[in-house]
């Protein structure tokens, strides 16, 4: 049973990935400083899996404390690195905070990887690295354009750091570029817990529908798309989570073609903001209170994944439809209404 360290394991994608790893026979340890996540998530993972996961409440920017995790677990064979700040708008306002947090943490972790000769490393990247691409459908070979935000630059730089790092170690690395992860685990015991007012579309929809927000805005209906609203590739978080297990298995079986490989993780279907709202209204029966607002600065017009590589090489087969994504997201929002303990992270304060 290989031991995998999941960083940011109390977060949205991290928590779903821990469940998937355990269901596929891996042993997991977690590190999460809970600065933007709720520690109760660990209990909910335990309810789903029947396993207790050790969480080290450590800030990865603290090298000594990070190093101590490896001293205590010298048998870590793989790392899946989720821990990072991810709010695009906040990164524009506080770029140094983003560069400091997202890059120092990665560098500290890689120093430990080198010292302890950890064989496998999976990095949470994002379709944001493509910037505003010339083609709507991007492959892993699509040239990267300037990022639209400091957050995006931290993902581009993270990929570059790993691209150089692989030249001086034997660690095998995978970069996973996520499109738009949404929805919740089918058990409805874990899901997305946005910090403060949600910036992302699906929590904005569900929080409006439940009445936490009085209304929501569609950011622009004059884009060159089929209905004028932006087009994205929404992908169920459990499908994303499973891709991490497949990536670790791929490295474990030495099926990788190079020591640093990249994969797009999207469904391959573009969905506009207005279509996403229609899908939500259909499954929930709720008429959403929304209006058309101005464009949001930094938004790309349209992007969706060519996911052939992940399908062919990892054997990944995302199946969840946009309606099913919305259904789990809605059930999760209904659950949050009942269960106060799950509400947003008690520790978090905007710096
Ligand atoms: C962006 C990044 C993604 C990153 C994510 C982190 C790109 C292409 N994507 O996602 O890689 O992981 O930020 O947060 O750079 N919208 C509304 N009203 C709202 C909220 C959103 O109309 O209240 C629209 C947006 O304008 C956008 C779509 O919904 O067109 C999706 O927005 P969002 O969920 O924030 O994700 P991205 O910006 O695509």
């Amino acid at each position: 049973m290989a031991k995998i360290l999941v960083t940011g394991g109390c977060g949205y994608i991290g928590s779903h990935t821990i469940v998937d790893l355990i269901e596929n026979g891996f042993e997991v340890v977690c590190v999460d400083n809970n600065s933007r996540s709720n520690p109760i998530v660990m209990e909910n993972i335990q309810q789903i899996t029947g396993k207790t996961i050790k969480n080290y409440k450590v800030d990865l920017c603290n090298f000594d404390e990070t190093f101590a995790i490896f001293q205590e677990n010298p048998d870590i064979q793989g790392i899946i690195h989720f821990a990072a700040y991810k709010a695009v708008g906040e990164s524009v306002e506080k770029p140094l905070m983003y560069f400091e947090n997202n890059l120092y943490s990665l560098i500290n972790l890689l120093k430990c990887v080198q010292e302890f000769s950890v064989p496998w490393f999976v990095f949470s990247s994002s379709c944001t690295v493509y910037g505003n691409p010339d083609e709507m459908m991007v492959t892993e070979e699509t040239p990267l354009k300037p990022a639209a935000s400091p957050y995006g630059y931290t993902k581009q730089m993270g990929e570059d750091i790993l691209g150089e790092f692989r030249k001086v170690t034997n660690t095998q690395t995978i970069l996973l570029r996520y499109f738009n992860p949404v929805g919740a685990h089918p058990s409805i015991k874990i899901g997305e817990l946005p910090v403060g007012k949600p910036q992302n579309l699906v929590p904005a929809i569900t929080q409006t529908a439940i009445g936490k927000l009085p209304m929501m805005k569609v950011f622009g209906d004059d884009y060159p798309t089929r209905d004028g609203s932006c087009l994205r590739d929404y992908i169920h978080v459990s499908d994303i989570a499973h891709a991490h297990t497949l990536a670790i298995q791929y490295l474990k079986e030495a099926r990788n073609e190079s020591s640093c490989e990249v994969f797009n993780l999207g469904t391959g279907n573009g969905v506009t903001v207005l279509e996403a709202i229609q899908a939500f209204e259909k499954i929930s029966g709720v008429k959403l209170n929304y209006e058309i607002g101005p464009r949001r600065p930094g938004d790309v017009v349209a992007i969706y994944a060519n996911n052939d590589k992940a399908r062919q090489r990892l054997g990944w087969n995302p199946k969840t439809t946009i309606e099913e994504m919305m259904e789990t997201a809605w059930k999760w929002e209904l659950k949050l209404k009942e269960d106060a303990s799950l509400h947003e992270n008690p520790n978090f304060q905007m710096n």
Side-chain angles (χ1 to χ4, degrees):
M1 207 162 53
K3 190 187 269 190
I4 308 297
L5 176 70
V6 175
T7 78
C10 295
Y12 179 38
I13 310 176
S15 57
H16 289 76
T17 300
I18 291 180
V19 170
D20 200 84
L21 285 167
I22 291 171
E23 285 172 349
N24 285 281
F26 289 96
E27 187 186 344
V28 176
V29 282
C30 175
V31 50
D32 193 316
N33 67 355
N34 296 129
S35 69
R36 296 191 170 193
S37 61
N38 190 329
I40 201 165
V41 167
M42 280 294 138
E43 291 171 29
N44 300 336
I45 290 175
Q46 189 180 345
Q47 278 182 28
I48 300 171
T49 62
K51 291 256 162 52
T52 309
I53 309 298
K54 167 117 179 121
N55 180 44
Y56 291 89
K57 198 171 168 188
V58 162
D59 184 341
L60 296 172
C61 292
N62 182 323
F63 177 75
D64 291 341
E65 288 183 16
T66 304
F67 193 80
I69 299 172
F70 287 83
Q71 284 177 314
E72 218 176 294
N73 299 274
D75 54 343
I76 288 171
Q77 281 183 277
I79 297 176
I80 306 181
H81 180 43
F82 294 102
Y85 291 159
K86 61 158 196 170
V88 174
E90 184 188 39
S91 79
V92 175
E93 285 162 25
K94 298 171 181 166
L96 296 183
M97 188 175 100
Y98 268 67
F99 291 125
E100 182 174 30
N101 184 69
N102 291 4
L103 298 178
Y104 281 7
S105 55
L106 174 64
I107 290 166
N108 282 342
L109 205 51
L110 291 180
K111 285 184 189 168
C112 298
V113 167
Q114 198 160 27
E115 183 68 27
F116 288 84
S117 303
V118 179
W120 317 315
F121 193 90
V122 177
F123 179 63
S124 280
S125 190
S126 164
C127 69
T128 196
V129 298
Y130 294 109
N132 223 329
D134 293 332
E135 302 287 330
M136 285 204 296
M137 188 185 74
V138 292
T139 72
E140 291 80 357
E141 310 308 323
T142 298
L144 307 188
K145 294 287 190 67
S149 68
Y151 159 75
Y153 280 115
T154 68
K155 292 297 174 191
Q156 287 185 343
M157 288 180 199
E159 290 196 0
D160 288 344
I161 289 168
L162 286 160
E164 293 300 319
F165 181 71
R166 65 134 167 194
K167 297 176 188 167
V168 294
T169 63
N170 291 322
T171 302
Q172 306 296 302
T173 300
I174 287 187
L175 315 174
L176 296 178
R177 292 180 181 158
Y178 315 145
F179 283 67
N180 288 60
V182 299
H185 191 267
S187 66
I188 316 298
K189 290 186 189 298
I190 52 174
E192 191 169 6
L193 291 167
V195 173
K197 189 172 180 232
Q199 307 299 314
N200 295 113
L201 179 65
V202 173
I205 290 176
T206 56
Q207 289 199 13
T208 304
I210 210 145
K212 271 193 213 165
L213 299 173
M215 59 91 66
M216 66 161 285
K217 284 201 163 61
V218 170
F219 298 138
D221 70 346
D222 57 352
Y223 284 102
T225 60
R226 51 186 174 251
D227 60 19
S229 62
C230 290
L231 183 138
R232 294 288 184 276
D233 187 339
Y234 299 95
I235 169 85
H236 195 273
V237 63
S238 296
D239 283 328
I240 290 265
H242 188 54
H244 293 77
T245 305
L246 294 173
I248 290 285
Q249 287 167 339
Y250 180 75
L251 294 178
K252 190 173 171 212
E253 291 157 17
R255 285 187 285 124
N256 50 320
E257 287 179 328
S258 84
S259 57
C260 184
E261 273 191 65
V262 52
F263 293 94
N264 282 340
L265 297 183
T267 61
N269 299 318
V271 171
T272 68
V273 175
L274 292 171
E275 288 165 352
I277 290 175
Q278 279 158 19
F280 173 79
E281 289 182 332
K282 188 172 145 203
I283 61 89
S284 66
V286 177
K287 185 90 195 76
L288 197 70
N289 186 19
Y290 71 90
E291 65 181 36
I292 307 295
R295 293 181 176 195
R296 181 171 71 175
D299 267 343
V300 307
V301 180
I303 186 165
Y304 64 94
N306 176 316
N307 62 14
D308 290 351
K309 192 176 172 199
R311 283 180 183 275
Q312 285 160 14
R313 300 217 42 88
L314 298 179
W316 188 56
N317 186 18
K319 293 193 204 93
T320 319
T321 63
I322 186 75
E323 282 80 16
E324 288 163 338
M325 297 178 208
M326 289 296 181
E327 194 171 5
T328 54
W330 181 227
K331 284 185 180 160
W332 173 244
E333 191 68 61
L334 293 167
K335 164 96 176 260
L336 289 179
K337 192 176 179 183
E338 279 167 26
D339 190 344
S341 68
L342 284 168
H343 278 279
E344 64 189 47
N345 167 35
N347 306 320
F348 176 71
Q349 288 175 340
M350 274 283 182
N351 302 31

